[in-house]
Every structure is written in C-alpha cells, then in structure tokens.
C-alpha cells in the first residue's frame, strides 16, 4: 500500500511544483487562455421554471475542450451587480451541466448569465461568456419600465414578441450532425422520436446538448448559437497587467483549490515548511496535507467528489498556537459594469403571462411525480478509507472506557503514555518494532485528530466500529504508522467536538450531477388524471454519439403550440454544431 501510493504523491508534487515554481508572468504567458460557451434551454424564464444550461470549456487557440481547468463557474447577475446565484461545477473533459430553479422572490427584469473558469478571472470579465436572460415574475407587480400600453407606444425598445416558428424556420448544419424528427406535427401526449447521427469521426466523438421547448409570442430570444459564438469571438488573449500578476488566480488543473497563508502571530511574517491538514468529515471523508512555501502559501487540491460542505483545517506543528492561518476567500468578480438591454412587455400580453403562470403552478404542484434525480458517482475510495482490520463493537462485550475496549477487544492496537503525560494511540507494524516517534493518523467520523488525547475520554459505548491498517503510509509529506478510524453510532462527533486549534470552514461545494426527468407515456396509459402542462418537453445535456445513430424519445404535453428543438455543441476538433428543428403540437 505504501509503495503504490508514493508515485502518486511524487507525480502530484511535480505538477504542483511546476505551477507554483513559475513566475506569475511566466504562468500567464505559458498556459493557454480558455473560453466558455453556455447552451441554455431558454433566455426567457418565468418564476417557478428552471434555467438549465450546458457548460463547454474550450481552449481559446484550438477551440477543442480545455485540458487545463477541472472546475467551472456559472453565475447569474442582476442589473445592480448583485449575484443571484453562483454554481461551482466539476468538469468532465471540459464539459458539464446544471440548472437553477427561479424562485418567486426574484423580481422581473433582465439578468446576465456568465460562464468562466478560475483561470479566466485573470483576464477580466470581458473574456467571460455572457448571455442576457429575461425573468418574468407574474406573482409580483411588474415594474413600469418593463411595461408598455401597446406596441406602437414603444420608442426604440425591443419587444418580447417572437415570430411564430414553422417547419421551415430551422437551422441545418448537416455537414457534421444529422438531426431529424419523425414528424413535424404531433398531437397532445404523443410520442416523438429524434434521430441524431454524427457524420464525421470528429463529430461522432464530439460533445452536444439538446433541448425541446415551447416558443410562443412571449419569448425574448438572446441565446447565442455555438457557431455564432465562435464566429464573433474576440480572439485576442487577455491582457495580463500588474494587478493580474500580483493577484494571480491559479488554474484548477487537478480539481478545486483551497489555499491560504501561514503567518507568525507575533511578527505577521509568512512561515515556510509548515504542514497543515484539511479534513472533510463524514461517511466518505477526505483528508489532505499541504506544506507552506517560502511565502507561507499552501494549497489543497480536492480532486474527488464529496457530499459534505463542512471542513476542518489545523496545523500539524506541536507549537501550532504560535501561528495563524489566513484562508483565501474566493469573491465574485466586480460585475457592476455589465450592460443590460432595455426590454418592454406589451400590456396586451397579460393573458399569455397569466396562462403560463397557471401552467407553472400546476406543474410545480405535481413536481414529485416529475422529479429529477441525483446521479451517484461511483469512486474508488482513497487508501486511507480502505482499512483491512475491522472491529464491530456490537459483536463484543461493551466496556465503558476506550482504553478497556482496546485492551480487551483489539489486537495490534494499544494506548501509550508519553513523557509529558499525554496519551497516544499506537499500532503495531506488520514488520519490526514500533517507531516511538511515528504515530497513526487518527480519524473520528472522518475528522482528523492531531492530538489523540482529545479523544481518550470519549465513551466507548458511543462507538460502533474501529478500523485500522498496520501499514506505514504517507499522506502528503507526512508519514504515519498506520491509519486508525473510529465510527460513532450517531456519526455526529464533528458537530460536538471543539478544539481551539481547529478552524471550521464551509466549502463552496460543486453542483451535483442530475438525471433529468423525461415524461414517457407507455402501454397506452396516458395518465388522464394527471395534468401535463410542460413547456420544456426534453432536455439532454450530455448527448453521446459514439455508439452510432441515437434515437431519443420524448412525449408532447397538453400545451399546444410551436416547439423548437435546438442542438448545440462542438466536434472533437473544435468545430461548432448548431441545429434547429420545429415541431407543432395541435
């Protein structure tokens, strides 16, 4: 176990050393600049609806999916610069997807949807993906600035009236991907089949997303196709000024970065070569150790998915009270200079707004029937969770104290008293005698405990499992004689435990990956008692054409009108693909 882990540590240290070993200007000039494209399901969204998006991270030079960032960000910003939401997203080969449910607390108005990476923040907001989103909240009074008595009274302001779509109003990019519907007109709750096929090797291995949504007279079209995005792209690399290089945003090459500085409390000078630990408690706990550099800087790389947001940071030094930890905070960019379009809603559209809001209320009332699901991502547990020796204390006589339990129940595990009177856990190695200066890494419900004495008085009757390994292990640059893990019955040790040496932090957790609900009516059962007022008929953000021709099935709803199928994406060699098809539901 030890030997298999050391090469990974060395590889990681080489990558991290290369990044932090470069001068800031060298790093800016060496790494390619990135760009982001977002395909959203709509640019006009009502309260009670979801804004869904697909995130494409691209290399600004090759236009292929980025190999730099493993994390992306999506934000929605209001006119006043206030951030409505910010999502952190784990990227899979440069791409991912997410969604935001628009609450009734959000007022009617124009908003800006932004997509970017941490690396792109060095080059300013001008390099971010930006798209206008218009939100209509019919449950609050719509501000007069968005209303007009009639179309004729509007002076130069665009009106949210889209020309009615028809079977001919489609964009065809047949050179890369062939997209067809088995019908152009369908009845209510009728099956529709989308056939999608890549026409070249590059398009077969490309990345695509597809949406089918109603397009009515109350629709403000601001979405930019992938083809138009690349055509209008400013190809200039961002300018790296003195402010950029002095406050460099490090690219998240291996995963999320949590960073900070270790300072001497007395002098406030940076302290180098000090180890610091980060633990994320819980069932699937994570643990990292970093070492500060000459500027006192340290960074943890979270390259695995996690479910909890609470974490604990603590110094490994015996004189930890002499040092101070200052964690970096990731603040949103200054979005105050964004330009927003002037939009006007004709007052005669009141009935259309009312009808759609009623549809949304009914749909949300039946949301449990059409609920999206969270995809569980299977991962190989880190070695410090894969512990071969297990004691289930319910299978043994229960003792009051931890020391009695270890003596009477376990083998190869003991408690030793040090010269200063404090006690430590000791694991007998597989080979040879114990090293008096080497102690095990101890976890309780996933919380790393540097001071073993803090746990010695804990009631053994509250402990469910004891797990450990006798192998010598290396985590970061720290060597431990084994790993010892206690699991309590309630699993709440972190909530109850306090130490002045531990800093509790709340992490900005990446969004979960969802499997979006697709309404199917099978076997002739159309569920007549369950209303179906969906305006979003289909959403597949992760379309894979590598298995040949794909047939995607969806069913229409009870809402008649014209719907538009939109496919966006990029081939594996960076060519944009934009396809539109129309469907009339009668």
């Amino acid at each position: 176990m030890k030997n298999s882990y050391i090469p990974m540590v060395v590889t990681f240290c080489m990558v991290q050393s290369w990044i932090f070993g470069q001068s800031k200007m060298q790093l800016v000039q060496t790494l390619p600049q990135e760009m982001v494209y977002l395909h959203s399901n709509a640019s006009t969204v009502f309260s009670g609806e979801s804004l869904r998006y697909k995130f494409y991270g691209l290399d600004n030079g090759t236009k292929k999916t980025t190999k730099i960032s493993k994390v992306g960000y999506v934000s929605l910003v209001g006119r006043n610069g206030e951030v409505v939401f910010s999502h952190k997203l784990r990227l899979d080969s440069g791409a991912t997807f997410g969604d935001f449910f628009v609450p009734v607390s959000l007022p009617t108005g124009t908003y800006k949807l932004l997509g970017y990476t941490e690396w792109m923040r060095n080059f300013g907001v001008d390099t971010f993906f930006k798209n206008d989103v218009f939100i209509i909240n019919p449950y609050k009074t719509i501000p007069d600035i968005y209303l007009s008595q009639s179309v004729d009274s509007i002076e130069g302001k665009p009106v949210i009236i889209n020309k009615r779509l028809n079977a001919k109003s489609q964009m065809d990019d047949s050179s890369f991907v062939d997209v067809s519907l088995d019908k152009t007109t369908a009845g209510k709750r009728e099956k529709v089949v989308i056939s999608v096929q890549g026409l070249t090797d590059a398009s077969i291995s490309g990345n695509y997303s597809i949406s089918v949504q109603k397009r009515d007279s109350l629709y403000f079209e601001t979405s930019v196709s992938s083809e138009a995005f690349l055509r209008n792209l400013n190809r200039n690399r961002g300018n790296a000024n003195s402010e950029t290089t002095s406050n460099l945003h490090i690219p998240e090459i291996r995963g999320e970065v949590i960073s900070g500085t270790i300072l001497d409390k007395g002098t406030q000078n940076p302290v180098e070569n000090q180890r610091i630990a980060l633990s994320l408690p819980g069932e699937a706990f994570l643990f990292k150790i970093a070492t500060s550099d000459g500027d006192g800087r340290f960074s943890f790389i979270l390259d695995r998915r996690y479910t909890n947001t609470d974490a604990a940071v603590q110094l490994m030094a015996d004189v930890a009270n002499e040092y101070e930890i200052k964690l970096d905070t990731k603040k949103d960019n200054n979005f105050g200079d964004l330009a927003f379009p002037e939009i006007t809603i004709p007052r005669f559209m009141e009935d259309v707004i009312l009808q759609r809001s009623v549809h949304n209320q009914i749909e949300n009332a039946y949301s449990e029937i059409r609920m999206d699901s969270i995809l569980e991502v299977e991962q190989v547990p880190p070695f410090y969770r894969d512990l071969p020796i297990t004691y289930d204390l319910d299978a043994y006589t229960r003792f009051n104290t931890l020391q009695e339990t270890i003596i009477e129940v376990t083998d190869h595990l003991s408690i030793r008293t040090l010269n200063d009177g404090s006690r430590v856990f000791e694991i007998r190695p597989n080979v040879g005698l114990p090293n008096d200066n080497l102690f095990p890494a101890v976890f309780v419900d996933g919380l790393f405990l540097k001071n073993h004495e803090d746990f010695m008085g804990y009631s053994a009757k509250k402990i469910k499992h004891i797990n450990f390994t006798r192998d010598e292990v290396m985590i970061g640059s720290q060597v431990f004689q084994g790993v010892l893990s206690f699991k309590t019955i309630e699993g709440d040790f972190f909530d109850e435990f306090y130490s002045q040496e531990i800093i509790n932090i709340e992490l900005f957790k990446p969004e979960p990956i969802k499997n979006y609900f697709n309404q199917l009516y099978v076997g002739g059962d159309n569920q007549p008692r369950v209303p179906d007022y969906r305006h979003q008929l289909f959403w597949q953000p992760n379309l894979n054409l590598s298995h040949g021709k794909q047939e995607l099935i969806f069913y229409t709803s009870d809402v008649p009108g014209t719907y538009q199928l939109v496919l966006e994406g990029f081939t594996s060699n960076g060519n944009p693909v934009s396809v539109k098809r129309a469907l009339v539901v009668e």
Side-chain angles (χ1 to χ4, degrees):
M1 181 180 298
K2 176 181 66 175
N3 292 337
S4 65
Y5 183 66
I6 290 178
M8 291 190 291
V9 175
V10 173
T11 301
F12 167 74
C13 291
M14 289 173 63
V15 173
Q16 190 179 38
S17 297
W18 180 84
I19 292 175
F20 291 97
Q22 306 292 308
S23 71
K24 294 176 180 179
M25 183 59 76
Q26 281 179 323
L27 197 60
V28 170
Q29 294 176 343
T30 302
L31 287 181
Q33 189 176 342
E34 296 175 308
M35 59 183 178
V36 168
Y37 172 73
L38 296 181
H39 171 207
S40 56
N41 67 322
S43 53
T44 302
V45 190
F46 274 56
S47 298
E49 297 178 349
S50 290
L51 175 64
R52 300 176 178 180
Y53 58 82
K54 171 69 177 285
F55 183 106
Y56 296 90
L58 305 171
D59 185 299
N60 193 54
T62 65
K63 308 303 180 291
K64 298 179 181 180
T65 53
T66 180
K67 299 183 183 303
I68 299 176
S69 294
K70 296 298 185 291
V71 180
Y73 299 87
V74 172
S75 298
L76 186 69
V77 182
R79 277 179 170 268
N80 57 0
E82 181 180 354
V83 178
V84 176
F85 76 82
S86 280
H87 288 173
K88 176 187 283 188
L89 308 157
R90 286 188 178 276
L91 303 184
D92 183 5
S93 299
T96 189
F97 50 88
D99 63 87
F100 172 71
F101 182 80
V102 179
V104 296
S105 58
L106 211 58
T108 296
T110 50
Y111 296 80
K112 195 76 73 174
L113 185 66
L114 307 176
Y116 54 97
T117 65
E118 185 72 8
W119 181 235
M120 289 171 64
R121 294 178 67 178
N122 292 301
F123 307 98
V125 179
D126 288 342
T127 64
F128 292 8
F129 175 87
K130 295 182 283 292
N131 192 54
D132 294 310
V133 174
F134 191 64
I135 291 177
I136 299 177
N137 186 345
Y139 311 108
K140 286 187 175 184
T141 302
I142 297 178
D144 289 338
I145 62 171
Y146 297 113
L147 294 175
S148 175
Q149 293 295 335
S150 66
V151 178
D152 295 336
S153 67
I154 302 170
E155 299 178 359
K157 293 184 179 180
V159 183
I160 312 179
I161 299 180
N162 203 37
K163 293 182 179 179
R164 183 175 177 82
L165 296 170
N166 53 59
K168 294 182 179 179
S169 60
Q170 59 186 24
M171 181 165 54
D172 192 351
D173 193 348
S174 57
S175 59
F176 295 112
V177 176
D178 179 63
V179 182
S180 63
L181 293 168
D182 67 336
K183 61 195 69 173
T184 58
T185 302
K188 297 176 181 178
R189 303 196 182 194
E190 185 175 340
K191 178 181 176 181
V192 180
V193 179
I194 310 170
S195 296
V196 188
Q197 184 175 13
L199 301 179
T200 66
D201 290 341
S203 59
I204 289 173
S205 56
N207 203 325
Y208 311 98
S209 47
I210 191 168
S211 172
V212 180
Q213 192 189 57
K214 189 173 188 294
R215 295 295 193 257
D216 51 31
S217 56
L218 193 65
Y219 185 78
F220 176 49
E221 179 63 80
T222 65
S223 298
V224 179
S225 70
S226 56
E227 191 275 333
F229 168 72
L230 287 189
R231 185 176 63 244
N232 301 325
L233 184 70
N234 181 359
R235 300 176 182 273
N236 293 330
R237 186 183 179 90
N239 294 322
N241 52 36
S242 59
E243 182 179 353
T244 298
T245 54
S246 61
N247 300 284
L248 186 68
H249 297 276
I250 299 297
E252 294 174 298
I253 292 178
R254 292 178 56 87
E256 301 171 64
V257 177
I258 298 174
S259 57
T261 308
I262 301 176
L263 302 174
D264 184 285
K265 281 186 177 180
T267 64
Q268 289 297 294
N269 292 327
V271 181
E272 68 174 317
N273 203 31
Q274 288 297 320
R275 296 188 181 98
I276 183 170
L278 170 75
S279 55
L280 280 72
E283 187 74 26
F285 68 92
L286 296 178
F287 181 63
K288 299 284 184 178
I289 291 181
T291 304
S292 61
D293 61 16
D295 296 323
R297 300 284 300 164
F298 64 87
S299 63
F300 302 105
I301 311 295
L302 296 181
D303 52 357
R304 293 175 180 267
R305 296 186 184 275
Y306 55 90
T307 56
N308 51 328
T309 58
D310 295 322
V313 175
Q314 54 189 309
L315 286 164
M316 300 292 290
D318 293 332
V319 290
N321 59 340
E322 297 180 3
Y323 305 127
E324 176 184 353
I325 303 171
K326 292 188 67 175
L327 292 169
D328 297 334
T329 57
K330 288 188 177 180
K331 297 181 179 179
D332 287 310
N333 290 63
N334 181 8
F335 299 130
D337 295 333
L338 294 173
F340 293 84
E342 295 295 330
I343 305 299
T344 305
I345 307 173
R347 292 183 184 272
F348 62 77
M349 300 302 299
E350 180 179 352
D351 290 342
V352 177
I353 294 175
L354 177 61
Q355 183 185 54
R356 184 158 164 181
S357 63
V358 170
H359 287 174
N360 288 334
Q361 291 180 66
I362 295 174
E363 279 298 293
N364 288 325
Y366 288 88
S367 59
E368 291 186 2
I369 299 176
R370 303 187 178 104
M371 186 175 294
D372 303 328
S373 57
I374 304 296
L375 289 178
E376 295 293 334
V377 180
E378 293 187 8
Q379 295 191 77
V380 177
F383 76 95
Y384 49 79
R385 290 207 316 253
D386 188 16
L387 306 177
I389 303 174
T390 300
Y391 289 92
D392 184 347
L393 298 190
D394 287 338
Y396 300 88
T397 300
R398 284 284 185 174
F399 297 92
N400 292 324
T401 67
L402 189 57
Q403 183 154 348
E404 287 177 303
T405 299
I406 288 177
I407 292 174
E408 299 295 338
V409 175
T410 67
D411 293 324
H412 311 296
L413 177 63
S414 60
I415 295 176
R416 177 161 62 95
T417 302
L418 301 179
N419 294 333
D420 61 1
S422 63
R423 293 167 293 177
V424 296
F425 294 102
E426 188 174 64
I427 297 176
R428 185 179 304 150
N430 283 314
V431 180
L433 298 174
N435 183 339
D436 290 343
N437 297 318
L438 206 57
F439 306 116
V442 177
F443 300 91
V444 182
D445 290 338
L447 175 66
F448 174 74
L449 292 182
K450 182 187 70 174
N451 298 319
H452 300 181
E453 182 66 44
D454 292 340
F455 188 63
M456 293 298 178
Y458 194 79
S459 172
K461 292 185 176 181
K462 294 182 179 181
I463 300 174
K464 183 174 180 60
H465 292 143
I466 299 177
N467 303 79
F468 62 91
T469 178
R470 298 171 61 189
D471 293 315
E472 182 180 300
V473 299
M474 175 180 284
I475 305 177
S477 58
Q478 183 85 26
V479 180
F480 296 94
Q481 176 49 55
V483 177
L484 174 61
S485 176
F486 296 93
K487 179 176 174 54
T488 68
I489 295 174
E490 298 297 331
D492 58 355
F493 180 79
F494 178 63
D495 298 331
E496 299 178 349
F497 181 73
Y498 170 77
S499 171
Q500 62 179 3
E501 293 186 3
I502 294 180
I503 299 176
N504 296 329
I505 61 174
E506 184 175 357
L507 299 179
F508 179 17
K509 188 178 75 170
E511 294 295 300
I513 299 298
K514 289 184 178 180
N515 184 21
Y516 291 99
F517 176 83
N518 184 23
Q519 178 67 61
L520 298 177
Y521 294 114
V522 294
D525 180 14
N526 283 356
Q527 304 175 5
R529 295 186 178 182
V530 179
D532 187 351
Y533 292 118
R534 290 173 295 125
H535 286 235
Q536 181 76 44
L537 299 183
F538 186 72
W539 171 250
Q540 172 53 270
N542 199 24
L543 181 60
N544 186 350
L545 302 182
S546 62
H547 302 297
K549 184 177 182 179
Q550 299 293 303
E551 288 194 345
L552 310 173
I553 296 174
F554 70 91
Y555 281 76
T556 60
S557 65
D558 294 334
V559 183
T562 303
Y563 291 76
Q564 189 178 58
L565 177 154
V566 179
L567 181 145
E568 298 287 358
F570 300 86
T571 66
S572 61
N573 57 10
N575 288 313
V577 179
S578 299
V579 181
K580 293 181 180 179
R581 297 287 184 266
L583 173 69
V584 176
V585 177
E586 298 177 335

